Amino acid sequence: MVAIDIGGSWIKGALVGADAKPMAGERVATPDAGESELVEAVEALALGLMEQAQSRDTPAVAVGVSTAGVIDESSGTARHSANLRWRNTALGRHLEERTELPVTLLQDARAAGQAEAVLGAGRGAGSFLMVILGTGVGGAVIIDGQPLMGSHSLAGEIGHLQLDPDGPRCGCGGRGCLEMVASGKALSRRYAAATDRLLPAEAVLALVAEGDPIATGLWSDAISGLSVALAAAVAVLDIELVVLGGGVAAAGPLLLDPLTKELARRVVLAPPPRLTVAALGNDAGILGAAAAALRSVGHDRLVRSWQSQPPWVDEPAVSTA
């Protein structure tokens, strides 16, 4: 099984075996030049992984692709993304023509949520909200292990919940979205605006841990905005669990401790939801893409069998070096 996860900063890929263990992991920087370059990068990664599968005498049976953005999963079309170059891109059809394999395309938070439901932090939860805090902010509502789609395949898109109608313009076209304050890209951009120093989000979070006043203030804004959005989701969905993934979620207690306090203050009709960091780390999108692709070719029973495996403890297969 070839599985690929396309993010705003990196495209990660791996071969996933019947035991759900990713292997032969690779990653390349996400091109920012244009749509065709992005498609070519995904295609090259998929074909390279197929060659590796062939060399292992275990030919791939399908391709699963997870990507940020507005995704029409029924047609395999990447409609739009605030952080990627999708423009009604028929990515699924293109990859099927090039790989001659069935291709499943799905939104990244829905992929991660399905994987966490089967193998990770969502095990045993009837329903939960999956939130990806990466280059952007993605979300998915998972019910009985499956994502809620909504009328326009937009259910769970918490990153584009409007916090400030007069706020900065978001890549989605709206203003003051959560993504403009709580994403990794937003942290980096806002710190640069305040200091004239452009740092990656990881470096800004390191400054927060050191007590840097500017970084701490920006992080406080992010926590506040995220708590408002999550409180709204709790009021609408009555969920008891939020699973937080993506690079920003790697902050761990720096994220969970203040966010737990803010939610306790904002959620009053019921106990606030339990918060946890995703258990699958960088492999969540890849595993979700693999699971969806396997289901599409009739291996749903195999995916369900993953739930009987021990809790996920392995190191990610895709190098972050």
Side-chain angles (χ1 to χ4, degrees), residues 106-186:
L106 67 163
Q107 186 249 20
D108 58 348
R110 287 197 283 268
Q114 290 182 73
E116 292 289 340
V118 175
L119 288 162
R123 271 183 170 186
S127 62
F128 64 94
L129 179 66
M130 183 79 212
V131 178
I132 303 296
L133 301 171
T135 303
V137 176
V141 181
I142 307 298
I143 301 174
D144 295 329
Q146 296 293 328
L148 177 67
M149 300 300 293
S151 298
H152 305 92
S153 298
L154 292 172
E157 280 287 2
I158 195 171
H160 298 291
L161 190 152
Q162 187 182 73
L163 301 178
D164 180 5
D166 298 317
R169 180 75 68 181
C170 178
C172 72
R175 286 191 176 276
C177 294
L178 173 64
E179 187 166 292
M180 297 305 291
V181 67
S183 66
K185 187 175 182 179

Side-chain angles (χ1 to χ4, degrees), residues 96-300:
E96 285 185 344
E97 292 172 353
R98 296 292 288 122
T99 64
E100 298 183 347
L101 290 175
V103 175
T104 299
L105 182 69
L106 67 163
Q107 186 249 20
D108 58 348
R110 287 197 283 268
Q114 290 182 73
E116 292 289 340
V118 175
L119 288 162
R123 271 183 170 186
S127 62
F128 64 94
L129 179 66
M130 183 79 212
V131 178
I132 303 296
L133 301 171
T135 303
V137 176
V141 181
I142 307 298
I143 301 174
D144 295 329
Q146 296 293 328
L148 177 67
M149 300 300 293
S151 298
H152 305 92
S153 298
L154 292 172
E157 280 287 2
I158 195 171
H160 298 291
L161 190 152
Q162 187 182 73
L163 301 178
D164 180 5
D166 298 317
R169 180 75 68 181
C170 178
C172 72
R175 286 191 176 276
C177 294
L178 173 64
E179 187 166 292
M180 297 305 291
V181 67
S183 66
K185 187 175 182 179
L187 279 175
S188 181
R189 171 182 53 79
R190 297 183 75 219
Y191 187 81
T195 65
D196 290 327
R197 294 174 60 204
L198 182 60
L199 299 176
E202 294 82 0
V204 177
L205 287 169
L207 290 173
V208 174
E210 294 171 5
D212 178 89
I214 294 176
T216 298
L218 297 176
W219 185 236
S220 179
D221 291 345
I223 294 294
S224 178
L226 188 55
S227 71
V228 170
L230 290 180
V234 170
V236 173
L237 300 169
D238 192 23
I239 49 172
E240 62 178 358
L241 174 67
V242 176
V243 179
L244 299 156
V248 175
L254 198 66
L255 169 67
L256 295 180
D257 291 349
L259 185 55
T260 297
K261 291 179 181 177
E262 281 292 303
L263 275 178
R265 186 170 67 86
R266 295 183 186 278
V267 177
V268 296
L269 292 179
R274 180 167 58 90
L275 305 180
T276 187
V277 172
L280 305 179
N282 291 325
D283 287 337
I286 284 172
L287 287 167
L294 282 169
R295 284 171 168 148
S296 75
V297 293
H299 293 298
D300 185 68

